Amino acid sequence: MTKLNKIYNYLQLDENLATGGQPSAEELALIARQNYQLVINLALPTSDNALPDERAVVESLGMRYEHIPVAWERPLHEDFKRFTEIMQQHAHTKRFVHCAANMRVSVFVALYRVVVQGWTYQSAMQDVDKIWNPNPVWLNFIREQLDWPRLEP
C-alpha cells in the first residue's frame, strides 16, 4: 500500500491515472517512486498550498510536468481542450493529475471520459460525486463542454 492515499482527495482511477489535491514535495517524490511519468496541474500558482516551483520539483524527480492554470470562477473551453490534447498525447503514460482540491480535475477527467473515451455521463460523474457536488459555474461548464443547454441563474 502506498502513502499516495494521504494526498487530499486522492483517487486511483485506473492503473495509469490517479488524481488528487495539491501534493507536497514529499508526496511528489512518492508519486515518482510509483513510476508516474507525467504530472498535470490544473491549479493556479496562487492556489492554497501551491508549491513555489512545482515544475522544478517534478522535473528533478524525472517526471514531465504540464501546467494548465484553470480559474476556479471561470473555467474555459480552451483549458479543457488543452487538457484533452495532453491526455491523448500521453494516453499510455502513467499520469497524476491534480489541482488544489481535486475539484477542477474531477470534472475535467469526467468530461474527458465522456467526450474522448465515450463513457456515459452518469458513469463518468461517479468519481466527481466522491469529491464534490459541482456548483452552478462548474455545472454550466460541464453543459457547455457537452453542448447541453445552459443553466439559468
Side-chain angles (χ1 to χ4, degrees), residues 37-53:
Q37 299 152 306
L38 172 65
V39 173
I40 304 171
N41 177 5
L42 302 186
L44 298 176
T46 55
S47 294
D48 289 348
N49 302 317
L51 296 178
D53 194 352

Side-chain angles (χ1 to χ4, degrees), residues 6-143:
K6 294 190 188 257
I7 296 171
Y8 184 70
N9 280 339
Y10 174 81
L11 285 178
Q12 182 73 49
L13 301 179
D14 63 38
E15 65 185 19
N16 286 322
L17 181 61
T19 64
Q22 176 66 55
S24 66
E26 294 79 16
E27 289 165 336
L28 285 169
L30 287 172
I31 290 166
R33 285 197 294 276
Q34 292 297 314
N35 300 315
Y36 283 85
Q37 299 152 306
L38 172 65
V39 173
I40 304 171
N41 177 5
L42 302 186
L44 298 176
T46 55
S47 294
D48 289 348
N49 302 317
L51 296 178
D53 194 352
E54 184 170 327
R55 175 180 301 279
V57 173
V58 168
E59 291 176 350
S60 75
L61 294 165
M63 296 180 290
R64 182 180 172 135
Y65 181 77
E66 294 285 350
H67 189 200
I68 308 167
V70 177
W72 175 252
E73 306 80 16
R74 195 166 158 247
L76 301 173
H77 171 73
E78 293 77 21
D79 299 331
F80 179 63
K81 183 178 178 202
R82 180 73 183 124
F83 177 77
T84 61
E85 290 168 356
I86 294 167
M87 290 288 284
Q88 287 179 292
Q89 288 168 2
H90 299 280
H92 302 291
T93 300
K94 198 165 179 184
R95 300 154 291 173
F96 181 80
V97 187
H98 80 85
C99 57
N102 202 2
M103 293 177 170
R104 293 171 181 92
V105 169
S106 64
V107 169
F108 272 56
V109 169
L111 287 169
Y112 178 79
R113 286 172 159 178
V114 172
V115 172
V116 176
Q117 296 180 322
W119 286 41
T120 65
Y121 175 78
Q122 291 77 16
S123 294
M125 290 300 288
Q126 288 178 1
D127 287 323
V128 175
D129 293 340
K130 293 174 185 174
I131 304 298
W132 71 306
N133 293 314
N135 65 26
V137 167
W138 283 85
L139 288 173
N140 279 326
F141 178 72
I142 291 167
R143 284 173 171 78

